[in-house]
Amino acid sequence: MVGPEIERLIQLLSRLPGLGPRSARRAALRLVEKREALLIPLAAAMAEAAAKVKTCAVCGNFDTIEPCAICADHRRDASQLCVVEDVAGLWAMERTGSFKGRYAVLGGLLSALDGVAPEDLGIASLVARARDPLVKEVILATPATVEGQTTAHYIADRLADCDVSVTGLAHGVPVGGELDHLDDGTITAAFRARRRF
Amino acid sequence: MVGPEIERLIQLLSRLPGLGPRSARRAALRLVEKREALLIPLAAAMAEAAAKVKTCAVCGNFDTIEPCAICADHRRDASQLCVVEDVAGLWAMERTGSFKGRYAVLGGLLSALDGVAPEDLGIASLVARARDPLVKEVILATPATVEGQTTAHYIADRLADCDVSVTGLAHGVPVGGELDHLDDGTITAAFRARRRF
Ligand SMILES: [Zn+2]
Ligand SMILES: [Zn+2]
């Protein structure tokens, strides 16, 4: 009864995190109501992001330049490599302002259930980066969940014969907590108190 | 630090109902992660909706045809006119399947505070429609809020000299409740038990 165009809009919006079927319907209506102020600009912003935003081949971050602004920034400390599950985790670390090194974005976590293997997470290239003599520390900032910690342990094992200290975030990350849901102070505390893995 | 394109995407997404700044950030990331499956199709669906969806000049509904499918459907009962605040209210009524008449979408509610006057809601054209001899009943289905009921009373007064019965939704609409948040059964019950205004 809403017409296929709006139905499709609702269906796609409902796939965004935080929007269920009902809120997707409300969002679609708001968009059509605010055609000039919201719908057209958002369609354009999405098309622009689709055209311009790339995945950094070095670290896995999203940016419009390649390598990304973090990898290209020579003031960032090349001796520290922070391993995060996804770009949300990278953003969460960046918001704290407490980390000045480089990143490795896994793009997921090891999971026998979901069939996610080390190859899927680019762990070989992470190990290769860690072998660079400039790198002194690899900080495992995967979530404090079972899969996050399984992944961290696996990476720590793979790094055992590299000449780096392997650390993990410590105090402050609640068990079962996702990095992106934490306040900046908690992440900062966990980063400062990071422990040898 | 996220780049102006993603920053703009986050800022626009955060204006959707149901998405705060944090969930807008997560939504933007999901979009960029699912570039082919979600970002590009959603940008296209929005552009298509922007190009094709119009406001029906008769009733205020959104549709790709004009007049809208409801106004154009000659099987709909021309003797009943249901007055709703917005298209969300119209959709909520339609979902119940209990109303087979026509609509008048106000596009808002009277509000001294927000400076919304009768002219802004097209109430004169609603009164003109109600003067059509075919129309026998005007059902005021504005929300059960102060502004919703103020608007309903104002419309009832304006319809006093029209030869129509003016009714309002009754049992089941909780005080302070918005139509779009109700389950279909409640709306159906309220519709069936509608009372003379
Ligand atoms: Zn990078
Ligand atoms: Zn219409």
Side-chain angles (χ1 to χ4, degrees):
Chain A
M1 109 150 155
V2 258
E5 291 80 6
I6 296 180
E7 204 59 79
R8 175 142 178 82
L9 194 55
I10 294 170
Q11 182 246 316
L12 288 167
L13 285 168
S14 71
R15 293 176 51 198
L16 292 178
L19 286 184
R22 179 157 295 209
S23 49
R25 212 161 54 207
R26 293 175 67 82
L29 267 180
R30 176 72 60 86
L31 284 165
V32 175
E33 279 167 7
K34 307 276 181 201
R35 189 178 170 281
E36 304 296 327
L38 194 53
L39 178 56
I40 292 173
L42 190 51
M46 285 184 180
E48 193 177 7
K52 291 193 183 170
V53 176
K54 298 177 256 294
T55 301
C56 176
V58 178
C59 76
N61 189 19
F62 297 136
D63 207 332
T64 50
I65 56 171
E66 245 225 276
C68 75
I70 293 174
C71 287
D73 184 350
H74 293 291
R75 292 162 306 178
R76 306 272 317 200
D77 185 352
S79 76
Q80 290 187 316
L81 201 56
C82 182
V83 179
V84 289
E85 176 189 1
D86 51 23
V87 177
L90 184 156
W91 288 3
M93 282 298 295
E94 285 297 288
R95 284 198 298 277
T96 70
S98 55
F99 178 64
K100 296 295 176 201
R102 309 291 174 93
Y103 289 95
V105 178
L106 297 174
L109 297 172
L110 292 178
S111 167
L113 204 67
D114 299 333
V116 182
E119 311 82 87
D120 302 315
L121 304 180
I123 289 177
S125 89
L126 161 62
V127 173
R129 287 177 73 195
R131 285 193 199 285
D132 184 324
L134 283 172
V135 177
K136 303 299 178 201
E137 181 181 5
V138 175
I139 301 150
L140 301 174
T142 49
T145 57
V146 172
E147 290 185 343
Q149 293 310 296
T150 302
T151 306
H153 279 284
Y154 177 85
I155 294 171
D157 286 346
R158 291 281 302 266
L159 294 173
D161 67 342
C162 298
D163 189 23
V164 291
S165 51
V166 180
T167 59
L169 296 184
H171 300 304
V173 181
V175 173
E178 296 276 345
L179 223 59
D180 190 44
H181 290 108
L182 295 178
D183 62 292
D184 299 354
T186 305
I187 298 177
T188 301
F191 175 75
R192 295 219 172 109
R194 66 190 181 275
R195 58 186 162 66
R196 196 161 292 275
F197 206 89
Chain B
M1 102 122 186
V2 258
E5 290 80 6
I6 297 180
E7 203 60 79
R8 175 142 179 81
L9 194 55
I10 295 170
Q11 182 245 316
L12 287 166
L13 285 168
S14 71
R15 292 176 52 198
L16 292 177
L19 286 184
R22 179 157 297 209
S23 50
R25 211 160 54 206
R26 293 176 67 82
L29 266 181
R30 175 72 59 86
L31 284 165
V32 175
E33 278 167 6
K34 307 275 181 202
R35 188 178 171 280
E36 304 295 327
L38 194 52
L39 178 55
I40 291 173
L42 190 51
M46 285 185 179
E48 193 178 5
K52 291 193 182 169
V53 176
K54 299 178 254 295
T55 301
C56 175
V58 178
C59 76
N61 188 18
F62 297 136
D63 208 331
T64 50
I65 56 171
E66 245 225 277
C68 75
I70 293 172
C71 287
D73 183 351
H74 293 292
R75 292 162 307 179
R76 306 271 318 198
D77 185 352
S79 76
Q80 290 186 315
L81 200 55
C82 182
V83 179
V84 289
E85 176 189 1
D86 50 24
V87 177
L90 184 157
W91 287 4
M93 281 300 292
E94 284 297 289
R95 283 198 299 276
T96 70
S98 55
F99 179 66
K100 296 295 176 200
R102 309 292 174 92
Y103 288 94
V105 178
L106 297 174
L109 297 171
L110 293 177
S111 167
L113 204 66
D114 299 332
V116 181
E119 310 83 87
D120 303 315
L121 305 181
I123 289 176
S125 89
L126 161 63
V127 173
R129 287 178 73 195
R131 285 194 199 283
D132 184 324
L134 284 172
V135 177
K136 302 299 179 202
E137 180 181 5
V138 174
I139 301 150
L140 302 173
T142 49
T145 57
V146 172
E147 290 184 343
Q149 292 311 297
T150 302
T151 305
H153 278 283
Y154 177 85
I155 295 172
D157 286 348
R158 290 282 301 267
L159 294 173
D161 66 343
C162 296
D163 188 22
V164 290
S165 50
V166 180
T167 59
L169 297 183
H171 299 304
V173 181
V175 173
E178 297 276 344
L179 224 57
D180 190 44
H181 290 109
L182 293 180
D183 62 292
D184 300 351
T186 305
I187 299 177
T188 300
F191 174 75
R192 295 219 170 107
R194 65 191 182 275
R195 58 186 162 64
R196 197 161 291 276
F197 208 90

